[in-house]
Amino acid sequence: MFKRRQFSELLSRISEDRNKIQVITGPRQVGKSTMVKQVLKETTIPNMFVSADSVPKENTSWIGEIWETARARMQFNKDSEYLLVIDEIHKINNWSEEVKKQWDADCFNDINLKIVLLGSSRLLIKDRLTESLAGRYEIIRMSHWSFSEMKEAFGFSLNQFVYFGGYPGGAQLITNETRWKRYIKDSIIAPAIEHDILITKIIYKPELMKRLFELGCSYSGEEISLTKLVGQLQDAGNVTTLASYLTTLEESQLLCGLQKFANDKARKYNSVPKLMVYNTSLLSALSSSSLENVFTTPSVWGRWVESAVGAHILNMADELDYNVYYWRERNEEVDFIIEHNQQSVAIEVKSGRRTTNTGLPLFKKKFQPKLSFVVGSRGVPLEEFLSWDLSSLFD
């Protein structure tokens, strides 16, 4: 069975002396639970794996009961160490306070019970971890699957990856596009919004959230003001509401609004956002076009290519803690600006939509980036770039 990079990282961490809670985060259906179960098969540490998926959200005491079960099994078998894994932990109300209580009790009583928690994306980190568990955890981030992973695990070609994206659960369905689209919408998009987001966040207009996501995906790769989006959505409320919902979709690693790169922070955060999906599966599943129609229309295919490049950058940036922007000055633009430690890398995608890249020299002259290059025609080949580990850009 294919093992993602995080497999070795988690196996190494649980082998260390008990020191921190290990938290596995990432969007729905990227293999978090599968990866952890692979680790459990390899480790020699006695363990138990439980899921809070079907536990009533009000039943916070369930966490303490599971914890006591793990302690009892450890004591009965006279184990020197034990590993408890709790999946879907974010679905329990006030889970972080109970985890803190149990973890601190084990620390006080010198109980060598190691803990791994699994939850959805940055929603988990932002809302609970930093509030109650500061200093007690480490995060292992799992992003959407890359081209290299889909190619190695499922034999995806470049064009298949650009269109079908990186959800492993749908890989066996791509020969039947209708069935594949239904799977992405029913098994990934709907649960991600209706369950993960609505359980974790207070959303006053759930239908608006869904429509914003669907419309936003259709604009992937394009700059569009929130005011214009308000005009296209019924009962949209105000721009502030849409901005808040777009932030939530970004925290869920579904859709984000890239801000314009500028030296002035205020200008960055008040700019017109450039919408970008985290996985081109989302763009394709909600489109009425087929792979054949998209691929044979250069201007349309160019938008899918740019979205694939953007998704690769966003997912790696999330793992590496990089910032991602776009840049525009009048009619000159650069598709993606990656920022880290006050250094920047400028990337222009040269595709069927746009064949010139006069904005890149202008950006280079104005901001002196560490690197600036083209992905696509007469630049870094698309297949090569989608295989890059972007951490090397700042070496």
Side-chain angles (χ1 to χ4, degrees), residues 320-377:
L320 298 167
D321 202 25
Y322 294 169
N323 295 316
V324 184
Y325 306 95
Y326 77 96
W327 178 78
R328 173 181 288 279
E329 188 172 287
R330 300 185 180 87
N331 292 325
E332 304 293 347
E333 68 174 298
V334 178
D335 291 315
F336 302 103
I337 310 298
I338 307 174
E339 187 181 53
H340 178 60
N341 287 340
Q342 298 184 321
Q343 293 184 313
S344 64
V345 171
I347 301 172
E348 176 70 14
V349 183
K350 202 168 182 180
S351 61
R353 282 208 303 168
R354 187 171 60 251
T355 57
T356 60
N357 60 305
T358 55
L360 206 57
L362 182 60
F363 181 89
K364 185 176 180 179
K365 180 179 179 181
K366 191 167 185 175
F367 295 100
Q368 292 84 46
K370 179 179 175 64
L371 291 171
S372 61
F373 58 89
V374 172
V375 173
S377 179

Side-chain angles (χ1 to χ4, degrees), residues 130-378:
T130 54
E131 292 177 9
S132 302
L133 294 169
R136 295 172 175 85
Y137 68 92
E138 288 183 291
I139 296 171
I140 297 178
R141 294 174 172 84
M142 293 187 70
S143 60
H144 294 273
W145 284 48
S146 67
F147 169 59
S148 297
E149 290 175 313
M150 294 301 288
K151 181 180 179 181
E152 182 179 346
F154 303 105
F156 266 36
S157 68
L158 176 63
N159 292 343
Q160 285 175 328
F161 177 76
V162 168
Y163 184 80
F164 292 109
Y167 281 116
Q172 306 299 333
L173 306 177
I174 64 172
T175 54
N176 184 333
E177 277 196 51
T178 301
R179 184 181 175 189
W180 175 82
K181 287 188 176 186
R182 190 178 300 120
Y183 166 80
I184 297 297
K185 288 187 281 190
D186 294 346
S187 297
I188 294 177
I189 294 174
I193 294 177
E194 295 171 11
H195 296 158
D196 296 346
I197 290 178
L198 297 184
I199 285 175
T200 312
K201 305 283 284 189
I202 297 175
I203 303 295
Y204 294 104
K205 296 184 177 182
E207 288 302 317
L208 175 60
M209 167 74 79
K210 296 174 191 175
R211 293 200 301 274
L212 172 62
F213 172 70
E214 292 170 358
L215 183 61
C217 287
S218 72
Y219 279 108
S220 182
E222 299 184 25
E223 300 160 39
I224 182 167
S225 70
L226 294 180
T227 302
K228 184 176 179 180
L229 283 177
V230 167
Q232 296 190 45
L233 292 166
Q234 294 181 350
D235 190 29
N238 55 35
V239 169
T240 303
T241 300
L242 285 190
S244 172
Y245 288 179
L246 187 57
T247 298
T248 298
L249 290 168
E250 180 179 354
E251 291 170 346
S252 304
Q253 291 174 276
L254 295 171
L255 175 76
C256 82
L258 296 179
Q259 299 300 321
K260 180 180 174 183
F261 180 86
N263 287 330
D264 180 356
K265 287 187 177 181
R267 290 178 62 195
K268 283 181 181 178
Y269 297 112
N270 290 311
S271 60
V272 173
K274 176 176 180 176
L275 299 179
M276 188 62 56
V277 291
Y278 275 83
N279 192 321
T280 52
S281 291
L282 307 173
L283 171 61
S284 301
L286 296 171
S287 169
S288 59
S289 298
S290 64
L291 171 58
E292 182 180 1
N293 291 337
V294 170
F295 181 67
T296 55
T297 309
S299 60
V300 177
W301 183 246
R303 190 157 70 89
W304 257 258
V305 169
E306 184 175 335
S307 294
V309 171
H312 180 62
I313 293 172
L314 285 172
N315 284 300
M316 291 224 67
D318 182 68
E319 291 189 30
L320 298 167
D321 202 25
Y322 294 169
N323 295 316
V324 184
Y325 306 95
Y326 77 96
W327 178 78
R328 173 181 288 279
E329 188 172 287
R330 300 185 180 87
N331 292 325
E332 304 293 347
E333 68 174 298
V334 178
D335 291 315
F336 302 103
I337 310 298
I338 307 174
E339 187 181 53
H340 178 60
N341 287 340
Q342 298 184 321
Q343 293 184 313
S344 64
V345 171
I347 301 172
E348 176 70 14
V349 183
K350 202 168 182 180
S351 61
R353 282 208 303 168
R354 187 171 60 251
T355 57
T356 60
N357 60 305
T358 55
L360 206 57
L362 182 60
F363 181 89
K364 185 176 180 179
K365 180 179 179 181
K366 191 167 185 175
F367 295 100
Q368 292 84 46
K370 179 179 175 64
L371 291 171
S372 61
F373 58 89
V374 172
V375 173
S377 179
R378 287 185 290 219

